[in-house]
Each structure stands twice: as C-alpha cells, then as structure tokens.
Amino acid sequence: MTERQNSLEGITDLQDTVTPFGVQLRAKYKRTGAYSTFNDRVPVILTRVIDSLSRDKDEIVKKYGKSSSEDVKQVIGYISKLKNEIVTNKPLIPLICVPDESPEDKENIKMWNDYLEERTKIEGKVPTWYNTVVLYAECYSYRRVIEGFKLTKTLRSYDPFAKLKEDSFDGSTASAIAVANYTLGQVERAQQASSAELKHELAKFLRLSLWGNRCDLSLSGGAENGQIGNPLELLNALEKDLLVDDSNFVWDVLTKAQKKGGQVLVDIVLDNAGYELFTDLRLATFLTAHNIANRIRIYVKDSPWFISDVTTNDFHWMIERMNGLSNPDLNQLAKLIKGYLESGAWSIEEDTFWTTPFPFMEMSQRGPTLYAKLSEANLLIVKGDLNYRKLVGDVNWEYSTSFLEATEGFLPTNFVSLRSIKSNTCSGLKSEQGQYLDKIDPSWMLSGQYGLIQGTIDACICSKTSS
Ligand SMILES: O=P(O)(O)OC[C@H]1O[C@](O)(CO)[C@@H](O)[C@@H]1O
Ligand SMILES: [Mn+2]
C-alpha cells in the first residue's frame, strides 16, 4: 500500500463499491472514475503543472519580466500545497480575496465561497475532496489552480495548460488536413447538394465532432492524446460504439426552424481545444456554408479549465496556426472561419457559468441571463463529458432513465449532447444495453470508447424564429 493510500484510510469513509443508482458521484466510492480523479489523475496533473513551471521558468521570466521569477516559485509552492490537501483529503477552504481584486473576480470568489457554505449546510460538515460530490470538488480543484496564478502580480492570466493544448493540435495536423480537404469539398458543393445529401452529411459532421471528444487531456492526465489516422475512414468502424444516435432529431429541428423563416440561431458549447475544437468548427462551417444556420454563437471558457478546454486565446491560436501551416486546405479553412467571425455569422462568447461547479438544471436560478440567452437559440449543441455530467446532475442514473428526465428541467431550447463517455453517468440507453456493457466491459463508462449523439427528442419545443 502506498503512503498516500495509508494517509487516506481512517479520514474518509471510503467505500469499496460503485456509486449507487440515483446518487451523485463522489470520489469516496472506490470502484469509480471519481475515485481515480483524486487518487491518480488530479495529483498527476498538478505535478505536471509544477514540472512545466520549473522547466519553462526562463521563458516565463523573459516574457513576464524579472519579478515573475518569484511568482513562479510562489505558484509552485501553492500547487504543491493544493496537491497535499487533496491526497490527505483535507476540508475544502474558501478562496482568498486580495484587496485590489477586480469587481468580477470579487464576485466570482464570493460565489465559490458562498457555495462552500451552502454545501457545508447540505452535508452537515465542511466538504472534503473525497466525501463531497465530485462535480463540485473537481471543478473547485481547477478553480484553485486558477487562484494559484491569480495570487501573483505578473502571472494572473497565465495558462499553465496552453502548451499541452497547442501540442495536442500540432500532433493531430495530419488528421486535420484530411478532414479540412473534405470539408472544403462540401462547402464548394453547397449550391448543388440535395436535402437528402445534406441530412447524410450532417450526420457525418456530428459524428466527427462527437469522436473528436475522445481527445481530451484531463482523462489522460495531460498525456498527449491527439487524433491519428484519417477520421473519415474510421467513422464506419466507430459506428458500433455509438450507443444513441439522434442525428435525425438535429436535422428535424434545424429544417423546421428554417421552414418557419427568419434567422436560424445555433449555440455551441465547446469542450476541448486542439483536434476536438477543429472538428467543432468544421461542423459549424458546414452549418453556415449550407445556410442551415444563419448565426452561430460559440461558447468558450473564461479561464483554463479541465486542462484542455477551449479559451478565447486557444480559439485564436488555432486559427492562426491553421493559417500559418504550409497546407492550402488548412489555410483556406482558417480564412473561411475568420470571415465568419468578421461578418458576425459566428461569435465567440464567454460566460462565467461554464466555469462554475453547478449542474445545468440550476442554470435558470444561478445563471438566469445565460439561460435566457440560450433559449433564444433554435438548437443548442453541448460538447463533451464534463458538460454531460452537468446536464444530468452528475447522477448515476439507471441507464434506461430518459435523457429528458435525467436533465431535470434544464430545457432552454432543443439541445443535443455530443459526448464520448468517460464518467460513471449515462442515461437514455435502450433496456439492458447498459447492463450488457457492464458485463462485457466493466470500464465501458470510463474509456471514452463509446459515444452518444443524444437529443431532447421527447421535448416539445416549437421551432423559434429569431431576427
Ligand atoms: O473533456 P471532457 O470530455 O469534458 O472530459 C473531461 C474528463 O474529465 C473528467 O472529469 C475526469 O476527471 C471526466 O468527466 C472526463 O474524463
Ligand atoms: Mn474538457
């Protein structure tokens, strides 16, 4: 037994079980991904951040000035302490508010500290890493990393994951080129494509975007996890792993909205930078080039999050990278995307809600402005595993619970989740499908092998028209 496990025994009520059905995931259930989150993944990630800061120190000093040298030391100390708090299952602590904090940061700190109090009341004691709900504790761990940098003078907006995200895109350029070429071919044919062809192509672009979600870096603990091979050629082989396919629903929602006239507005909540972002922008390009959507709002994170999530900087970095590489297809796609942004057909949107620990069913209360904004859209596309966890409240639902029931009233508009399954929550499966997978592959919910294109198919939201 390692020293770390020793230090955990006795101070948590670790249970050698899976999460019971109907209950929110917690790291104290040892036979779950939530347990590995704090037992392996997050400590490894924090060590990587420390290592990269030591390694890049000279570079950082060059860019941020002499005094950043002390700041690097300070952050390393802060993150080592954070790691220690996790591996010894200490109580979560309030965030620190320094006197010259900006009003937005003050408000954000207050939100996190109020929530700590709220959870203390709910749980009857101060939450600890393993004992509280893992959705909160895991989001809080990334918020603490942000705090480590915010407490410095020179590195307040430093992104410790930027290089990993950039390397992940660079490692996937061959795959990106293959699909860029295909996407541009589709764009050129925009005038000739029949409705049946478009429907078929939409299903393909949804799949590419879904499987792009396999490339996140937080599941791999920051180890490189880019796309290799030609993704188009892999699609058929992946079909057996697609457990729910509501592509037709997506088509129906969009074409009904189109028929109503007016502007068709699509909102996309992004997940990871690198290859996944590339797949999402291709989906968006397809929708715009074929006039299926007139406006697309693309939501990014306002801070570094779960290692690989897209920030505004990552978004621009990738477009510039595509522009700078010596491949005419990537260059042309980058130009197209820039044009969409310049014309206002696309916009990049930030909202603090996406970097809070709250399940989406609480959005109408805790982020009413964002909820109202999303309800303007004809379709909302929600990417990734963490967003799925938030959609279904991070509860271990009985697998056959309908997706709509699991989302517990979050319904700003019609939405679809594109998610490769990496955590112990899943809803809307056919009867016995989940039980069968449990039998043949006990880690099916953690591997990212299986995917969902899952929509609010049973909800009756009339097509909206926005102007
Ligand atoms: O980038 P994604 O798809 O949201 O995945 C994030 C990963 O982090 C986790 O929270 C695990 O720590 C899982 O939800 C998932 O494996
Ligand atoms: Mn992510």
Side-chain angles (χ1 to χ4, degrees), residues 216 271-272 305-306 308-309:
D216 85 274
D271 186 0
N272 301 305
W305 196 243
F306 280 68
S308 41
D309 286 20

Side-chain angles (χ1 to χ4, degrees), residues 12 34 69 151 157 191 198-199 218 222 243 253 278 332 353 416:
T12 68
S69 172
L151 289 175
S157 56
Q191 301 308 319
L198 283 183
K199 185 174 175 178
S218 85
L243 304 184
V253 167
F278 183 74
Q332 202 183 326
F353 188 84
V416 64

Side-chain angles (χ1 to χ4, degrees), residues 245-259:
D245 177 14
D246 291 338
S247 305
N248 286 345
F249 161 78
V250 177
W251 173 256
D252 289 347
V253 167
L254 291 170
T255 46
K256 272 189 198 143
Q258 228 174 8
K259 281 186 193 133

Side-chain angles (χ1 to χ4, degrees), residues 245-455:
D245 177 14
D246 291 338
S247 305
N248 286 345
F249 161 78
V250 177
W251 173 256
D252 289 347
V253 167
L254 291 170
T255 46
K256 272 189 198 143
Q258 228 174 8
K259 281 186 193 133
K260 277 214 151 188
Q263 300 276 305
V264 178
L265 173 63
V266 173
D267 279 354
I268 304 182
V269 185
L270 292 180
D271 186 0
N272 301 305
Y275 178 74
E276 180 172 355
L277 171 60
F278 183 74
T279 64
D280 299 334
L281 298 190
R282 273 180 343 222
L283 171 63
T285 301
F286 172 79
L287 296 176
T288 301
H290 290 278
N291 270 321
I292 298 173
N294 306 93
R295 247 202 99 197
I296 303 189
R297 297 186 296 206
I298 303 173
Y299 295 85
V300 297
K301 302 292 190 301
D302 61 358
S303 317
W305 196 243
F306 280 68
I307 307 193
S308 41
D309 286 20
V310 185
T311 62
T312 303
N313 280 347
D314 301 328
F315 194 115
H316 292 302
W317 179 88
M318 192 180 79
I319 309 306
E320 286 316 316
R321 191 57 147 201
M322 287 164 64
N323 209 17
L325 286 169
S326 60
N327 175 273
D329 291 336
L330 286 182
N331 305 156
Q332 202 183 326
L333 203 53
K335 218 165 137 199
L336 211 58
I337 291 172
K338 275 190 175 175
Y340 292 152
L341 287 168
E342 273 157 24
S343 71
W346 291 9
S347 54
I348 304 175
E349 314 272 335
E350 284 184 7
D351 192 289
T352 47
F353 188 84
W354 307 119
T355 47
T356 67
F358 304 128
F360 293 171
M361 58 160 290
E362 296 179 17
M363 189 192 287
S364 58
Q365 298 282 314
R366 299 191 191 262
T369 315
L370 177 63
Y371 194 85
K373 186 170 171 182
L374 298 182
S375 57
E376 295 162 3
N378 299 92
L379 174 74
L380 169 66
I381 301 175
V382 184
K383 288 295 316 278
D385 192 75
L386 175 64
N387 281 327
Y388 190 90
R389 291 172 57 192
K390 289 185 166 184
L391 276 172
V392 301
D394 215 24
V395 167
N396 182 25
W397 294 101
E398 298 261 7
Y399 307 134
S400 57
T401 310
S402 79
F403 183 44
L404 212 55
E405 193 186 330
T407 51
E408 295 184 288
F410 171 78
L411 198 56
T413 186
N414 298 294
F415 63 86
V416 64
S417 153
L418 308 180
R419 170 224 187 185
S420 76
I421 304 171
K422 303 170 207 158
S423 54
N424 297 97
T425 176
C426 195
S427 65
L429 298 188
K430 287 193 235 46
S431 113
E432 301 305 313
Q433 200 177 14
Q435 283 78 358
Y436 172 73
L437 287 164
D438 274 340
K439 248 184 232 148
I440 61 157
D441 180 2
S443 62
W444 71 275
M445 295 181 100
L446 302 179
S447 60
Q449 178 183 342
Y450 297 93
L452 305 171
I453 299 178
Q454 194 164 40

